[in-house]
Amino acid sequence: MSLPRLTHGVRQALRTQRRTFSSTLLRPAEAQAAEVKSLGVVGAGQMGLGIALVAARSAGVPVTLVDSNQASLDKGLKFADTLLAKDVSKSRMRQDDADKARAFLRPTTRMEDLDRVDMVIEAVPEILSLKTSIFAQLAQICPSHAVLATNTSSLSITTLAASTTKDPNDMSASSRVLSTHFMNPVPIQKGVEIISALQTSPAILATALEFCRRMGKVPSTSADTPGFLANRILMPYINEAIICLESGIGDRDSIDAIMKNGTNVPMGPLQLADFIGLDTCLSIMKVLHEGLGDSKYRPAVRLRSMVEAGWLGKKSGRGFYEY
């Protein structure tokens, strides 16, 4: 049975409708990116400090670094001094450039000091209630044009965007929320995932993409789905390696050696898990398992046990290896 042919009038109407619809949905490349002249970073841990330092050093913008704990700020800035001194000693940058980058880092314990930034990146632990509380504050404190970004590695960006307002129809703040998921360690890894929420505007996406390029990063875009791209691929790989270990298929050294020498990766999955943090790996696997409902994402028993024992990897001094 053949389908009836569309009349000329119907075809013309459909073409007009497509043109009208597509003109309202600008692609990031077509949207106008705003210039980010100042940045805010919430969280002075390893990720937050790395983001702040690269923004100051590579993008050349002043960075307001916020942490509620003064000791964390002091520790982060001391680490920044170490990294800058290392770059100077290896002739990767001049001393005056290092001094300029360091002067761009402006520590504070007050969220209110983010009232003039063009973009803010939240980099606190993967606790949903903590992040939603921060985004609710950012929506009130930051300028109405500011990009509100998160460095989450697994949590829903749409949920974080929704926390900026009590009225879902008021998208003045939620349309400015997205994720800039930097890879660890930030000063070395070039990759960054950009994830839009359901509410994110094309102009905000374009601004974030352009600023990440100014930071010397290579951005990739992902849908807002559990694990996004990097962790949707990486974490099941690490989890399966742990299952191989606990099942006796191979020992630690054999598992890491075959992946290093057989696939040309710089470190094996068990060593990589130690560097990421076993608690972080477990947290992301739980998000994948619960969010996707597929048993293939069930966290390995050994992974759960090690986290319960406090063996979190390099940061605790013991994981699959001892440090």
Side-chain angles (χ1 to χ4, degrees), residues 135-154:
F135 271 88
Q137 294 178 66
L138 294 176
Q140 298 299 316
I141 295 170
C142 297
S144 59
H145 69 276
V147 177
L148 308 178
T150 174
N151 187 55
T152 183
S153 58
S154 58

Side-chain angles (χ1 to χ4, degrees), residues 186-225:
V186 182
I188 296 174
Q189 301 287 13
K190 288 192 173 184
V192 57
E193 282 183 304
I194 309 294
I195 303 101
S196 294
L198 185 63
Q199 306 94 321
T200 307
S201 77
I204 290 295
L205 175 57
T207 299
L209 286 166
E210 178 58 28
F211 185 67
C212 286
R213 294 187 185 104
R214 282 177 60 195
M215 290 177 67
K217 302 303 180 184
V218 180
S220 298
T221 56
S222 169
D224 184 16
T225 187

Side-chain angles (χ1 to χ4, degrees), residues 79-110:
F79 185 51
D81 291 336
T82 300
L83 292 177
L84 289 170
K86 185 176 181 180
D87 284 343
V88 171
S89 69
K90 292 183 176 294
S91 300
R92 289 196 286 254
M93 67 188 309
R94 299 195 309 259
Q95 184 63 55
D96 57 339
D97 291 329
D99 294 341
K100 183 178 180 181
R102 179 62 177 81
F104 273 147
L105 299 178
R106 302 169 181 175
T108 179
T109 57
R110 290 168 32 88

Side-chain angles (χ1 to χ4, degrees), residues 277-304:
L278 302 190
D279 53 339
T280 300
C281 294
L282 177 60
S283 174
I284 296 171
M285 285 307 302
K286 285 180 176 179
V287 168
L288 291 174
H289 191 214
E290 294 167 8
L292 299 171
D294 193 322
S295 61
K296 73 179 182 180
Y297 297 113
R298 176 186 62 80
V301 174
R302 176 71 66 88
L303 177 60
R304 289 182 182 272

Side-chain angles (χ1 to χ4, degrees), residues 56-69:
R57 186 180 64 188
S58 300
V61 297
V63 182
T64 302
L65 181 61
V66 182
D67 199 292
S68 60
N69 188 320

